[in-house]
Amino acid sequence: MANELIKVEVKNDTQVVSARELYKGLEIAQRFSRWVSNNWDMFEEDVDFVPCTLSTQQNQYGGTKELSDYIITIDMAKQLAMMVRSERGKQYRKYFLELERKWNDPQEVVKRGYAILQNENAKLRIENQKMKPKALFADAVSTSNSSILIGQLAKILRQNGVNIGQNRLFAWMRKNGYLGTRGSNRNVPTQRSMDLGLFKTKETVINHSDGHTTVNITTKVTGKGQQYFINKFLSASVIEA
């Protein structure tokens, strides 16, 4: 509005002003705290006003102090202005009445409603984009009730936007304590991983031509483990080994 008397903001689709700014504009003679105590009992907290604080510069050294303030509705501001029997009071009352008239104009109501709808649609689109990778991962895991190889998990992750391959996934799991790192325990699930139910192992006995046997351990990621690691990787598109 031209010739703005006081800064007006919109919070929760309601026009509001600062009580301290109104106090100064109306040129109230009594202290701010006394003005509040004399008039605020007529209004309802969280409906007509909300307490707040503001920091103001106190001295040339940059020190600040907090002052109590209130965010008040235009309706409350108008009623406070009506109580001041001066030209300033009349001026502010007329100003607030004009603000209310324009705010409640049918065309303005429609414009605000459209703006709110556009904003909600934009938020929904953003949220959908954020949820899209999660949905893709969920779809991928929902079809995997059985355990899979770590290489297969890497493939699922890569298909859904995570820049990682089998070797890097193995390295990441070793580095982060999910798989053993040395000797016969290399790439074998740690006790912590097994306790969490992230892996299961399959032991295969191999008979060699010279008569000795060895045991080959194959590590597989359980359905629970797939969901666990997928959720781990949702926050980043590249996993550093």
Side-chain angles (χ1 to χ4, degrees), residues 19-21 23 28 30-37 40 68-70:
R20 277 198 178 270
E21 285 193 32
Y23 166 81
I28 304 295
Q30 59 186 313
R31 294 194 313 272
F32 178 75
S33 58
R34 178 63 61 86
W35 180 60
V36 169
S37 63
W40 257 234
S68 62
D69 195 5
Y70 300 86

Side-chain angles (χ1 to χ4, degrees), residues 4-5 34 45 70 80 86 117 122 127 137 151 155 162 194 225 241:
E4 183 180 64
L5 284 179
R34 178 63 61 86
E45 185 171 348
Y70 300 86
L80 290 170
S86 67
L117 181 61
E127 190 63 28
F137 281 130
K155 183 177 179 181
V162 178
M194 295 299 287

Side-chain angles (χ1 to χ4, degrees), residues 200-213:
K200 73 175 186 177
T201 59
K202 179 182 179 181
E203 296 185 359
T204 304
V205 177
I206 301 175
N207 296 306
H208 297 274
S209 58
D210 60 0
H212 82 280
T213 61

